[in-house]
């Protein structure tokens, strides 16, 4: 195993999940589906749905406040605030600016990272790079997603998969052996149309046709995404282990992006990672895009499953396509 010293570490995490639980049974009365189909094909049993007035920035701010409090850092001590989201409250300005205003991070530079489900890992990497230039000491990486506002509630092939929630991580320069030891990232824009929102941006602004066609909602070619997700997440896991100098046995706990239990199990199988080492909560939250990994880490900490000294593998895949993995010593 490698003895490389990490440059930055995750000091603390936080999460926020809206109270309202939507079960598969609830969905049976919205679209033509069954609890049995959803559980068998995805492993999802329920997800959280934010009320209409609750914004992604609000959820992100709640998660951020917890991470700050646990690290003993005040909001005005944050130098950089990165928000990862596929569901910004507005297209202009960045949601990071909204989170900044909500938590009072008045000294921070704030901007968004759009990496879809891989956004938290991309955000951590931006934090690592920024801190390594010496421009700041403390970064907050917030991943917040109100997926319920962009899924088509008339499309059973997508609306059953997603959920709302937020996670946050406070990152600062590492002073010991804890921290990010290795990363692998990749993207492939040629495959964008397998998972995207065709309209609602500057190319096709919302008009009557868009509203009629419902093309401002998420469209996904599920099988194609599934195949690419497994291959990319497994390869990225293997690649980051190699770069870090870890064997599969050196990994204590895996935090995969939580989209579908079958994707998680197939990824683990291809990468040679035993499922006992894989953290799973997709059954309770569905796919919260980039928020899944920080929410899972925060839960694992609270459950006592994530312990000091553990070697972690984070791995994600999402729209773009984007994917990546990270080796972290906790
Ligand atoms: O973060 C990355 C984001 N996305 C993902 O990771 C999702 C990747 N894809 C998947 O997880 C899976 O492809 C799905 C869960 C979306 C679909 O599972 P599948 O095993 O690939 O099913 P399928 O799309 O091949 O559909 C099988 C059948 C179809 O019916 P026919 O054509 O065989 O008669 C669908 O119309 O299941 C039908 N179906 C449903 N039935 C009941 C699709 N959605 C539903 C539903 N309830 N909600």
């Amino acid at each position: 195993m490698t003895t490389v010293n990490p440059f930055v570490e995750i000091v603390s995490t936080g999460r926020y999940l809206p109270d309202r639980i939507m079960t598969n049974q609830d969905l049976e009365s919205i679209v033509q589906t069954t609890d049995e189909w959803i559980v068998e094909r995805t492993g999802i049993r329920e997800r959280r749905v934010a009320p209409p007035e609750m914004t992604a920035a609000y959820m992100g701010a709640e998660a951020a406040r917890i991470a700050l409090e646990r690290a003993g850092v005040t909001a005005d001590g944050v130098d950089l605030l990165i928000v990862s989201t596929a569901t910004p409250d507005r297209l202009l300005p960045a949601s990071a600016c909204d989170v900044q205003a909500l938590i009072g991070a008045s000294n921070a530079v704030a901007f968004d990272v759009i990496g879809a489900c891989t956004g938290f890992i991309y955000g951590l990497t931006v934090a690592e790079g920024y801190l390594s230039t010496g421009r700041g000491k403390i970064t907050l990486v917030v991943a917040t997603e109100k997926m319920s506002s962009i899924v088509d509630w008339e499309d059973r092939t997508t609306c059953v998969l997603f959920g709302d929630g937020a996670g946050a991580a406070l990152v600062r320069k590492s002073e010991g052996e804890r921290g990010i030891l290795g990363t692998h990232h990749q993207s492939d824009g040629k495959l964008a149309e397998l998972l995207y929102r065709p309209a609602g941006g500057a190319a096709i602004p919302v008009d009557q046709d868009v509203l009629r066609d419902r093309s401002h909602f998420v469209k996904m070619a599920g099988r194609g995404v599934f195949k690419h997700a497994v291959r990319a997440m497994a390869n990225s896991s293997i690649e980051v282990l190699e770069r870090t100098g870890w064997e599969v046995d050196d990994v204590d706990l895996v935090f995969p992006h939580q989209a579908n239990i079958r994707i998680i199990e197939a990824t683990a199988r291809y990468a040679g990672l035993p499922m006992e080492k894989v953290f799973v909560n997709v059954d309770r939250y569905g796919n919260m895009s980039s928020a899944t990994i920080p929410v899972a880490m925060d839960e694992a900490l609270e459950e006592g499953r994530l312990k000091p000294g553990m070697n972690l593998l984070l791995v994600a895949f999402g729209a773009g396509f984007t994917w990546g993995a990270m080796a972290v010593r906790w």
Side-chain angles (χ1 to χ4, degrees), residues 32-34 37-38 41-42 117 156-157 160-162 195 220 222-223 225-226 229 257 259-260 262-263 287 317-318:
Q32 204 177 357
T33 192
T34 59
W37 189 95
I38 301 170
R41 302 289 177 125
T42 72
C117 303
R156 69 175 182 173
T157 68
V160 304
L161 305 173
F162 296 96
L195 175 50
M220 179 169 70
R223 277 190 196 179
V225 176
F226 189 108
H257 169 50
N260 180 323
R262 289 159 55 218
I263 294 179
N287 183 348
F317 177 88

Side-chain angles (χ1 to χ4, degrees), residues 152 197-201 203-217 219:
D152 184 347
R197 291 175 71 190
I204 311 176
V206 173
D207 62 12
Q208 290 304 322
D209 292 343
V210 166
L211 292 176
R212 191 194 56 238
D213 299 343
R214 309 180 74 76
S215 53
H216 54 308
F217 291 125
K219 309 283 173 204

Side-chain angles (χ1 to χ4, degrees), residues 84 115-124 143 145 184-187 195 225 228-238 240 254-259 263-264 267 273 287-294 313-327:
S84 160
C117 303
T118 319
F120 180 67
I121 291 180
Y122 283 5
L124 287 178
E145 308 283 4
H184 173 256
H185 310 99
Q186 223 169 315
S187 311
L195 175 50
V225 176
H228 285 283
V230 171
R231 196 183 306 145
M233 282 170 66
N235 288 342
S236 205
S237 300
I238 292 164
V240 84
V254 186
F255 291 100
H257 169 50
Q258 312 275 324
I263 294 179
I264 294 172
T267 301
L273 296 155
N287 183 348
M288 297 181 289
S289 191
S290 66
T292 65
I293 292 178
L313 173 66
L314 322 184
V315 57
F317 177 88
F321 289 147
T322 59
W323 63 99
M326 194 167 257

